[in-house]
Structures are given as structure tokens and as C-alpha cells.
């Protein structure tokens, strides 16, 4: 295969990538030096870049970032093949077998007509596969907000959940009141206040799940909105010959309100 020639079929395009990976691992000083550990933080970075592109709804950037992630997956498999642990074929067969096993309603006799039924089947299958806890599959290194969502989803998969969103909102209000009570005391216990604040966040994440809002996406969109508005504020302040630290809050609010209209 000519690696300089664009391929039209998925199989040949994937083979082209594998061939290039072999060349780089054999001939490029940087690629030859990489290990599973050295690639890890780069993979995390690429995943966040893909996440940004998805939130921006930039399809061309999504395509580019998917390619970067794909390269990393091939890279890990290449390194493992050199130590005879596994290769890319083992990886692909493994995920195929896992998908078949996890979808008995497609490849077997199990009935699951709803998304909820599918999720419940998944958790039962995972326990049969050797998981000691329903929550065992939640990575400990996940960011706390995402981890809370995954914990709640997995608990729901085995029926541990509220009946309706009104109950969940009542829990949010209960946690908010407990958090507020910590600051009405003469002596504030910061450890206790931190714990109560965590309960507030957990209950809000739970409510978001009930109304089909992804809390990670929601917060990141707010982050992006704040950054855009704050940078508008900085730009307008600069045009006015002022430094933000020398402006009053009322002066900054004028530009901030303008930013909301853009």
C-alpha cells in the first residue's frame, strides 16, 4: 500500500494508519521513545480537545480530534505488541466480543425494549463478569462532577433511585438549607460546610439527571460564556484606556451587560 495515497474504504484507511504507525515507531526518534506512561497525559489532553470541539459543534475540528485520539489508540496497541502482551487485532476482537456479550437483546434471547432496561441488563452482566460492586467500574481518577453523574447512573441501573423529580428537588432544597445553616452559626466549621456544599452539588447533579441535562456540559457551556463575556470586558476596558483593577464594579457592569447582548 502506498501510504501517500488517500484510501476510500475504512479497512484500507485503517491499514494505512497502522503502516504509518509501524514506520514512525521504527524510524522517528520521538515516536521510538514513547511509552504507555509517556502517552497517557497526551491522550487526556487530546480527549479534552475533542470535548471542546464537540461543545463548539465544529464538525471539521471533531474529525481532526477523532484522528488524534485514534492515533493514540493505535500507538498503545503498537507498544503492547512489542512486548507481546496484545496487538491491535486483540483490541478490536476484545471490544467486539464485549459488545456482543453486553447486548443479549440484540445477539441473544434477552428482551429489552427501553433504554432503562438495557442499562439494567448491563449492570447485571458486569456483576456476572466479576465486578464486585455496581460502582466498581467508575474510575477513581474521574473528575468529581463526572464521577458523581456516573455513580448516580450506575445506582439507578439496579433500581436505587428516586421515583420522580419532585422528590429530587425536595432533596436539593433540604441540602441547600443544611448548607445555609452552617453559615448562620457563630463559629463556622469549614470542614462541615465543605461537606454540606458537596451534598448540594451531588443533589443538583442528581436533579439534572432527572431532567436530562448533562451537568458537565452545562457547566462547561457556562464557563465558555463567562470567558467570552469577561474577554469582551477586558477588550472594552482597554479601548477606554482603563485597567480592570482601577475600575469600579459599576463601571465594569456596564461592559458586562453589553457583553450579554453579543
Amino acid at each position: 500500500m502506498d501510504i501517500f495515497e488517500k484510501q476510500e474504504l475504512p479497512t484500507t484507511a485503517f491499514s494505512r494508519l497502522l503502516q504509518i504507525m509501524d514506520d514512525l515507531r521504527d524510524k522517528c526518534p520521538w515516536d521510538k521513545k514513547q511509552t504507555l506512561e509517556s502517552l497517557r497525559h497526551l491522550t487526556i489532553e487530546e480527549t479534552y480537545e475533542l470535548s471542546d470541539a464537540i461543545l463548539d459543534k465544529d464538525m471539521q475540528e471533531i474529525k481532526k480530534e477523532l484522528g488524534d485520539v485514534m492515533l493514540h489508540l493505535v500507538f498503545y496497541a503498537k507498544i503492547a505488541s512489542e512486548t507481546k502482551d496484545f496487538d491491535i487485532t486483540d483490541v478490536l476482537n476484545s471490544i467486539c466480543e464485549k459488545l456482543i456479550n453486553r447486548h443479549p437483546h440484540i445477539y441473544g434471547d434477552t428482551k429489552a425494549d427501553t433504554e432503562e432496561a438495557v442499562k439494567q441488563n448491563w449492570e447485571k452482566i458486569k456483576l456476572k463478569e466479576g465486578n464486585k460492586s455496581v460502582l466498581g467500574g467508575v474510575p477513581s481518577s474521574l473528575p468529581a462532577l463526572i464521577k458523581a453523574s456516573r455513580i448516580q447512573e450506575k445506582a439507578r441501573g439496579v433500581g436505587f433511585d428516586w421515583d420522580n423529580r419532585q422528590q429530587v428537588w425536595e432533596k436539593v432544597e433540604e441540602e441547600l438549607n443544611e448548607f445555609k445553616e452552617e453559615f448562620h452559626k457563630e463559629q463556622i466549621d469549614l470542614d462541615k460546610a465543605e461537606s454540606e456544599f458537596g451534598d448540594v452539588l451531588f443533589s443538583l447533579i442528581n436533579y439534572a439527571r432527572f431532567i436530562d441535562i448533562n451537568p458537565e456540559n452545562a457547566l462547561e457551556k457556562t464557563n465558555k460564556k463567562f470567558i467570552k463575556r469577561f474577554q469582551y470586558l477586558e477588550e472594552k476596558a482597554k479601548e477606554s484606556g482603563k485597567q480592570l483593577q482601577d475600575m469600579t464594579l459599576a463601571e465594569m457592569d456596564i461592559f458586562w451587560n453589553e457583553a450579554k447582548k453579543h
Side-chain angles (χ1 to χ4, degrees):
M1 179 189 297
D2 183 355
I3 62 168
F4 298 104
E5 182 181 344
K6 182 179 179 181
Q7 301 297 309
E8 300 300 328
L9 296 175
T11 50
T12 52
F14 191 63
S15 294
R16 182 188 182 199
L17 175 60
L18 294 178
Q19 186 175 334
I20 291 172
M21 183 75 257
D22 288 345
D23 290 341
L24 298 180
R25 188 66 174 168
D26 183 50
K27 301 172 184 177
C28 174
W30 186 88
D31 290 280
K32 288 167 68 173
K33 185 180 177 181
Q34 300 314 305
T35 65
L36 299 178
E37 291 77 14
S38 70
L39 288 173
R40 177 180 172 275
H41 75 281
L42 298 175
T43 306
I44 293 171
E45 181 181 333
E46 294 295 354
T47 304
Y48 276 109
E49 289 178 358
L50 172 60
S51 175
D52 284 345
I54 291 171
L55 289 177
D56 291 339
K57 295 182 172 60
D58 186 335
M59 296 307 293
Q60 289 305 307
E61 193 66 17
I62 291 172
K63 179 182 73 172
K64 171 180 169 292
E65 297 302 341
L66 282 173
D68 290 341
V69 172
M70 183 71 70
L71 170 62
H72 279 241
L73 303 183
V74 168
F75 210 149
Y76 287 121
K78 175 63 179 177
I79 293 171
S81 72
E82 295 166 357
T83 57
K84 302 291 191 290
D85 287 295
F86 59 83
D87 59 21
I88 192 64
T89 302
D90 297 322
V91 172
L92 295 174
N93 280 324
S94 176
I95 188 58
C96 287
E97 289 160 9
K98 179 179 178 180
L99 289 171
I100 291 170
N101 186 51
R102 294 278 177 91
H103 291 77
H105 53 293
I106 303 296
Y107 301 107
D109 300 326
T110 301
K111 185 177 180 181
D113 297 328
T114 67
E115 178 186 359
E116 196 60 38
V118 171
K119 288 181 178 179
Q120 289 176 2
N121 278 340
W122 281 344
E123 298 307 334
K124 292 176 184 177
I125 292 169
K126 290 175 189 176
L127 290 174
K128 288 181 181 178
E129 291 174 347
N131 284 7
K132 294 181 179 179
S133 168
V134 168
L135 304 181
V138 180
S140 59
S141 58
L142 271 181
L145 194 149
I146 299 175
K147 185 189 292 186
S149 296
R150 295 296 293 134
I151 287 171
Q152 293 170 7
E153 288 170 3
K154 286 184 173 293
R156 182 181 185 179
V158 292
F160 187 79
D161 204 4
W162 300 93
D163 292 325
N164 58 68
R165 68 183 187 183
Q166 180 57 36
Q167 292 174 321
V168 185
W169 184 249
E170 289 171 1
K171 185 64 176 175
V172 171
E173 292 181 323
E174 175 189 325
E175 298 296 354
L176 277 170
N177 287 330
E178 291 179 4
F179 177 60
K180 282 163 45 176
E181 285 175 11
E182 287 302 311
F183 291 94
H184 288 163
K185 297 177 180 177
E186 189 170 323
Q187 185 67 37
I188 297 174
D189 184 336
L190 289 179
D191 287 339
K192 185 70 164 61
E194 181 182 63
S195 175
E196 296 296 349
F197 185 66
D199 291 344
V200 171
L201 290 178
F202 195 85
S203 62
L204 282 170
I205 291 167
N206 210 1
Y207 189 73
R209 178 173 58 84
F210 260 79
I211 57 176
D212 294 322
I213 289 176
N214 183 305
E216 173 69 19
N217 289 349
L219 182 57
E220 182 56 16
K221 286 176 180 177
T222 295
N223 288 339
K224 287 179 175 292
K225 180 169 60 179
F226 183 91
I227 289 170
K228 182 179 179 181
R229 290 176 180 176
F230 192 82
Q231 288 176 340
Y232 179 91
L233 168 61
E234 289 178 312
E235 181 183 337
K236 290 300 178 181
K238 186 176 180 181
E239 289 176 3
S240 302
K242 299 178 180 179
Q243 297 290 330
L244 288 183
Q245 56 266 35
D246 299 326
M247 296 174 64
T248 65
L249 186 58
E251 289 175 321
M252 287 191 280
D253 270 344
I254 295 173
F255 292 136
W256 185 263
N257 290 327
E258 286 181 10
K260 292 181 180 179
K261 300 174 184 178
H262 288 73

